[in-house]
């Protein structure tokens, strides 16, 4: 009964993780809105601080869950005659994990990395031309529109996804279908972008390319 109660508590903690993830998704969208509407850099930086706070909470929650899971597994394995103080044992493990924390842990948080990547792309699309706008405007627009074309369908993307490994983007349905087709043939799927050396594209490499989607939507409205 005791273990069931702990399992139930751990399940509730894992639900908290989904709230943290949702918060990070919202913070990313807000930051992209700020770049798109040319808000102050300070506002965007504040959203980055929010993301780091979320990443800290996520790390702490992960450690807490892991400490309790390890404690329970240890007790189940050793089967002591007298049940030890589980809370104290878990707290010790938790503090040990927390003592090894470093800022680089937060920088490696997957949602934070996605935030940074999309922010960089968004800034490049919206502010990148400021320094080089000696180029003919038509050429600049044409170059930008070329990035909107999926290398598989050769059509403007509606739901672009970005490859975390090589940085190229594709239409979501098209790339997933190609990966699945090659998988059935027991073959790797090479990135279809001309000249790319990434020879084994997996579904897990892909993330929604929100920055590119916003650019495409903006172009379509004009």
């Amino acid at each position: 009964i005791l273990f069931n109660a702990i399992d139930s508590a751990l399940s509730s903690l894992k639900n908290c993780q989904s709230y943290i993830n949702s918060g990070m998704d919202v913070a990313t969208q807000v930051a992209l809105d700020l770049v798109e509407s040319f808000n102050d850099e300070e506002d965007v930086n504040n959203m980055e601080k929010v993301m780091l706070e979320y990443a800290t909470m996520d790390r702490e929650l992960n450690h807490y869950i892991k400490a309790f899971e390890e404690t329970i597994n240890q007790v189940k394995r050793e089967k002591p005659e007298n049940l030890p103080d589980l809370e104290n044992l878990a707290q010790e493990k938790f503090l040990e994990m927390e003592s090894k924390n470093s800022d680089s842990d937060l920088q490696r948080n997957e949602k934070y990395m996605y935030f940074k990547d999309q922010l960089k792309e968004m800034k490049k699309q919206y502010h990148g031309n400021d320094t080089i706008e000696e180029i003919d405007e038509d050429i600049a627009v044409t170059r930008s529109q070329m990035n909107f074309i999926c290398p598989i369908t050769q059509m403007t993307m509606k739901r672009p996804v970005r490859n975390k490994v090589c940085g190229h983007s594709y239409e979501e349905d098209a790339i997933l279908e190609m990966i699945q087709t090659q998988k059935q043939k027991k073959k790797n799927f090479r990135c279809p972008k001309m000249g790319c050396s990434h020879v084994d594209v997996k579904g897990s490499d892909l993330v929604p390319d929100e920055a590119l989607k916003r650019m495409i939507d903006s172009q379509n409205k004009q």
Side-chain angles (χ1 to χ4, degrees), residues 37-51:
S37 53
F38 293 90
N39 275 54
D40 287 345
E41 187 70 17
E42 189 181 344
D43 293 335
V44 178
N45 290 340
N46 284 336
M47 292 319 299
E48 183 168 353
K49 287 174 190 168
V50 169
M51 286 296 286

Side-chain angles (χ1 to χ4, degrees), residues 107-130:
Q107 312 285 337
R108 287 195 297 270
N109 177 285
E110 198 165 323
K111 293 259 182 199
Y112 177 75
M113 285 165 67
Y114 176 71
F115 169 88
K116 292 290 284 181
D117 174 68
Q118 289 292 291
L119 209 55
K120 186 176 106 184
E121 286 302 306
M122 200 75 172
K123 285 178 179 177
K124 198 161 64 179
Q125 297 283 2
Y126 278 88
H127 307 299
N129 290 339
D130 295 352

Side-chain angles (χ1 to χ4, degrees), residues 62-208:
N62 278 329
H63 284 169
Y64 202 71
I65 290 169
K66 193 176 176 188
F68 260 99
E69 284 176 340
E70 284 183 7
T71 302
I72 298 304
N73 290 336
Q74 181 184 330
V75 170
K76 284 180 178 175
R77 206 169 45 244
E78 294 172 359
K79 297 177 183 168
E81 283 184 30
N82 298 316
L83 201 61
D85 186 330
L86 295 178
E87 192 173 342
N88 267 352
L89 270 178
Q91 186 70 9
E92 281 173 22
K93 287 182 187 291
F94 170 72
L95 291 174
E96 187 188 343
M97 290 177 197
E98 286 285 295
S99 70
K100 295 172 184 169
N101 285 348
S102 72
D103 288 346
S104 60
D105 298 339
L106 303 179
Q107 312 285 337
R108 287 195 297 270
N109 177 285
E110 198 165 323
K111 293 259 182 199
Y112 177 75
M113 285 165 67
Y114 176 71
F115 169 88
K116 292 290 284 181
D117 174 68
Q118 289 292 291
L119 209 55
K120 186 176 106 184
E121 286 302 306
M122 200 75 172
K123 285 178 179 177
K124 198 161 64 179
Q125 297 283 2
Y126 278 88
H127 307 299
N129 290 339
D130 295 352
T131 52
I132 52 160
E133 249 345 56
E134 312 283 314
I135 317 174
D136 184 280
E137 199 175 317
D138 291 338
I139 295 174
V141 170
T142 306
R143 277 187 193 167
S144 181
Q145 286 173 340
M146 279 168 62
N147 295 330
F148 299 168
I149 304 295
C150 170
I152 301 167
T153 65
Q154 293 302 310
M155 294 169 68
T156 301
M157 291 176 267
K158 292 189 174 80
R159 287 198 304 178
V161 288
R162 182 175 164 81
N163 190 322
K164 291 186 289 185
V165 179
C166 62
H168 295 127
S169 295
Y170 334 91
E171 182 65 56
E172 184 177 27
D173 290 344
I175 187 75
L176 290 176
E177 188 180 330
M178 295 291 281
I179 291 170
Q180 188 58 31
T181 301
Q182 290 300 93
K183 191 177 177 183
Q184 285 167 353
K185 295 177 185 172
K186 294 186 167 54
K187 290 182 179 176
N188 291 342
F189 178 59
R190 187 186 189 110
C191 173
K193 188 78 173 176
M194 193 179 292
C196 183
S197 58
H198 185 203
V199 294
D200 185 16
V201 181
K202 299 183 179 71
S204 57
D205 296 336
L206 309 173
V207 291

Side-chain angles (χ1 to χ4, degrees), residues 12-65:
S12 297
L13 284 176
K14 286 174 183 175
N15 281 340
C16 290
Q17 282 180 308
S18 68
Y19 294 126
I20 290 173
N21 285 334
S22 298
M24 292 180 98
D25 289 341
V26 170
T28 301
Q29 295 296 326
V30 170
L32 295 180
D33 285 341
L34 291 170
V35 175
E36 195 171 1
S37 53
F38 293 90
N39 275 54
D40 287 345
E41 187 70 17
E42 189 181 344
D43 293 335
V44 178
N45 290 340
N46 284 336
M47 292 319 299
E48 183 168 353
K49 287 174 190 168
V50 169
M51 286 296 286
L52 286 169
E53 283 170 18
Y54 272 125
T56 305
M57 284 191 281
D58 187 54
R59 178 179 64 188
E60 193 171 311
L61 196 54
N62 278 329
H63 284 169
Y64 202 71
I65 290 169

